[in-house]
Amino acid sequence: MKNIQTLTTEITGGALDERLLDIYQTEQRVSREKKRLAAAIAEFASLFPEDEEIEIYSAPGRTEIGGNHTDHQRGHVLAASISDDAIAVVAPSAQNEIRLLSKGYDMITLLLDDLSKDKVADGSTEALIAGVAAGLQQRGYHIGGFHAYVTSDVLSGSGLSSSAAFETIIGNIFSGLYNDDKVSAVEIAQIGQYAENEYFGKPCGLMDQMACSVGSLCHIDFADPASPRVERLEFDLRKAGYNLFITDTKGSHADLTPEYAAIPAEMGSVAALFGKEVLSQVDEDAVIEKVSEIREKCGDRAFLRALHYYEENKRVLELVSAIKENDIPAFLKAIRDCGHSSFEFLQNVYPSSDVRHQNVSVALLFSEKMLKNEGACRVHGGGFAGTMLAFVKDEQADEYTQMMEHVFGEGSCHKLAIRKYGGIRIA
């Protein structure tokens, strides 16, 4: 805990430059973050003038690298935390309540005396905070009041998991202020998922929270969803001469819930033919053996999506192996294969209900035209609209940005970095 003026002086004067460079990786980003942190502290001071001692926490967004729609079938996923993050300026409060303002929103006041689900509205920020607090209590951890100002540069609605970043930062605040930083990154992720499922009302998997909380590249095996196996991998994309890009193709997510829901439902229908709940419980050879029955009873698309699941699981393991061996060509090939399988077999690049609008397809066309086998691209996350991911060589980065923004508009193409830290206390 540091005095507001002292910490502001340390940030603006360069005393934290080494720490910020370790987190944000480039001098240019450090310069930007110093201004952002100083502005956040000033905003906090205006909101809570009674607080003199503060701490600053950070939680990154995430990107899915491999494992497109495998998590809900208890398969393998490779995700990564990214350089864009949420930051929170925080002070403990003697009152048993949380007062929090996120930039662009109204002040939230949440009483901690009663954390029942019916005390908060579904889909609200209060629900996420209450869910995290309740999840911590259920695991025997302490909670307490605090004041916070939160600002985030994680793009909302982009598939980069701004909500998981928020859950992660709240979990880290409670861990730091009231539990001597003893709540593990995996537990914070699990608690974040609990908050989103039980309090917020969104039946999400655990991948988003795990990637935001653990940091770097995160290989997750969901065979046991209550206790997933997590392997943290180190991978410096910049040293390999590549950049990670996310392009917002401006596609609307409205009315896509049936499209998203159909994927686990169809995969589940194949598993059900074998008396199982999910595909990870069924051998791939058995599915191929029953291809005729599956096509007749579940449909061709269900069969194709099931085969995508099995092949995508293998690709995640190929990606993990390529990272460990620093085999960039093998890594890029596996990403390209993931992209083609998602388009052809999983079929989540555009909605079947609206073939007129195929924003992601257009983005993939232009990306493949430029990158060829020197890079890689694929639909990002849930799919059907929104964003796509690409790995682009340094020498093509500017040209790639110009091309994508020519198609989708200024500011649509974002260069990101894979961040080695998940949720942390900056100062």
Side-chain angles (χ1 to χ4, degrees), residues 8 17 33 41 58 83 90 93 105 117 144 152 184 212 216 263 265 280 305 315 337 357 378 383 410 420:
T8 301
D17 281 8
E33 291 305 319
I41 293 172
S58 162
S83 49
V90 182
S93 170
Y105 296 89
K117 286 188 286 187
S152 176
S184 72
C212 291
S216 193
I263 294 177
S280 63
R305 285 175 163 173
R315 275 188 289 273
D337 290 345
H357 298 100
R378 50 154 290 197
E410 186 176 353
K420 63 182 177 180

Side-chain angles (χ1 to χ4, degrees), residues 165-215:
F166 182 80
E167 295 151 16
T168 298
I169 210 167
I170 297 299
N172 276 272
I173 290 169
F174 278 125
S175 180
L177 292 183
Y178 295 107
N179 295 280
D180 299 320
D181 293 313
K182 291 181 179 177
V183 189
S184 72
V186 171
E187 284 182 294
I188 287 174
Q190 292 170 327
I191 290 166
Q193 183 199 23
Y194 168 80
E196 196 148 345
N197 290 174
E198 301 299 326
Y199 278 70
F200 190 79
K202 180 181 177 182
C204 68
L206 185 58
M207 178 184 70
D208 294 354
Q209 290 80 6
M210 198 69 79
C212 291
S213 186
V214 172

Side-chain angles (χ1 to χ4, degrees), residues 372-395:
K372 299 183 171 60
N373 288 337
E374 295 296 313
C377 61
R378 50 154 290 197
V379 63
H380 185 248
F384 298 111
T387 55
M388 63 150 287
L389 170 151
F391 292 92
V392 182
K393 293 180 74 172
D394 287 343
E395 54 265 36

Side-chain angles (χ1 to χ4, degrees), residues 19-20 23-25 29 32-34 36-37 40 56-62 81-88 103 150-156 160-166 168-169 212 415-417 419 421-426:
R19 169 71 165 160
L20 295 177
I23 297 170
Y24 295 106
Q25 304 180 45
R29 187 64 190 264
R32 181 180 124 191
E33 291 305 319
K34 288 167 69 173
R36 182 175 172 227
L37 290 170
I56 301 176
Y57 291 82
S58 162
R62 69 94 183 136
S81 59
I82 58 171
S83 49
D84 287 2
D85 66 343
I87 57 171
K103 184 178 181 180
V150 178
T151 180
S152 176
D153 61 8
V154 181
L155 296 172
S156 180
L160 299 177
S161 298
S162 55
S163 60
F166 182 80
T168 298
I169 210 167
C212 291
K415 182 166 73 172
L416 305 173
R419 161 171 150 161
Y421 296 109
I424 56 169
R425 177 166 40 198
I426 294 178

